[in-house]
Amino acid sequence: MKTALLFDLDGTLVDTDHLHLDAFNQLFAEHGFQVDRPTYTAGIMGKPNSGIAEAFLPHLPQAEALALLARKEAAYRDRVGAPGVALSPIEGLHDLLDWADGRGIPCGVVTNAPRASAELVLAALGIMDRFQTLVIGDELAHAKPHPLPYLTGLERLGAEAARSVAFEDSPSGLRAAVEARIPAIGLMTALAASQILEIGATLAVADFNDGGVRDLILQRMA
């Protein structure tokens, strides 16, 4: 069994949370409420649409709530593709992917984002071909925070949990990685280091340039 690197997408590879929040509030306004950034971080970030519907749209029939959230994803994609919007990867990502490629370490993306949104963002960043698999939580029996998406990523890449590393930024995603028994590195895009470590991550970093990232990967490979 080998080492693999598994990355969440939004907030981990790229900071798109402000675009998501704007899109959510566009649709939530139709129902007379808005959410602020702390509420988004605690209750929405990293969760599948089914969980968001249950928490924020309980007054709607499930099918109607999920349809509204599908419209939210379309509004988000419109923002990603809008003139003047240029997405940039989290600092150090390209160097880390080059470093992993040079050592034969396969990489994958594990996300609760719908496939259309995930593929759009990866294409906008120009990094679609840097990953050997794209795991979509809602295409499985369970999305994050269940460990199944990460276990699926490991299986597809022929990797072992204890020899691999997951990168996450949300409570939901960190719990999924921890439950899958993959050493996790938390990106401090939205959470403080104390919050990340409390969930069970091995390391909290500001970006991929942190020296602890490669040190942990090399430890897993030993």
Side-chain angles (χ1 to χ4, degrees):
M1 299 292 282
K2 61 187 178 185
T3 297
L5 305 184
L6 296 170
F7 298 83
D8 174 52
L9 178 57
D10 293 299
T12 299
L13 296 180
V14 57
D15 186 1
T16 50
D17 286 328
H18 60 293
L19 299 177
H20 279 291
L21 181 58
D22 286 347
F24 272 114
N25 279 330
Q26 176 185 328
L27 276 296
F28 286 164
E30 298 176 6
H31 295 268
F33 69 96
Q34 301 276 271
V35 294
D36 57 18
R37 185 62 184 257
T39 302
Y40 170 85
T41 299
I44 293 178
M45 187 177 72
K47 292 187 177 180
N49 280 346
S50 56
I52 296 168
E54 182 179 343
F56 289 89
L57 301 166
H59 57 289
L60 296 180
Q62 185 182 41
E64 187 176 340
L66 292 177
L68 184 144
L69 291 175
R71 288 171 53 212
K72 173 265 160 185
E73 288 296 330
Y76 165 72
R77 289 192 291 272
D78 286 344
R79 284 164 168 77
V80 171
V85 174
L87 299 184
S88 298
I90 298 296
E91 287 289 328
L93 176 62
H94 285 299
D95 287 343
L96 177 61
L97 294 176
D98 288 343
W99 180 85
D101 187 55
R103 285 158 179 76
I105 304 172
C107 298
V109 174
V110 180
T111 178
N112 277 346
R115 181 169 292 275
S117 298
E119 290 180 346
L120 177 66
V121 171
L122 290 172
L125 292 170
I127 57 174
M128 180 78 78
D129 62 350
R130 303 304 303 268
F131 301 99
Q132 285 71 60
T133 190
L134 171 58
V135 180
I136 303 296
D138 277 344
E139 295 178 358
L140 304 175
H142 303 285
K144 304 174 198 176
H146 196 281
L148 180 60
Y150 274 109
L151 296 174
T152 301
L154 290 172
E155 181 179 10
R156 291 182 184 178
L157 296 176
E160 181 182 355
R163 293 176 61 83
S164 299
V165 177
F167 296 87
E168 274 287 353
D169 72 303
S170 71
S172 173
L174 287 165
R175 291 188 183 102
V178 170
E179 285 296 314
R181 300 185 182 279
I182 305 172
I185 294 178
L187 276 292
M188 293 186 288
T189 315
L191 301 178
S194 58
Q195 294 172 291
I196 289 169
L197 297 175
E198 184 178 0
I199 293 170
T202 303
L203 185 66
V205 300
D207 57 41
F208 296 107
N209 286 325
D210 190 298
V213 171
R214 298 185 194 192
D215 287 345
L216 179 61
I217 297 168
L218 290 172
Q219 290 171 19
R220 297 301 94 198
M221 296 176 70

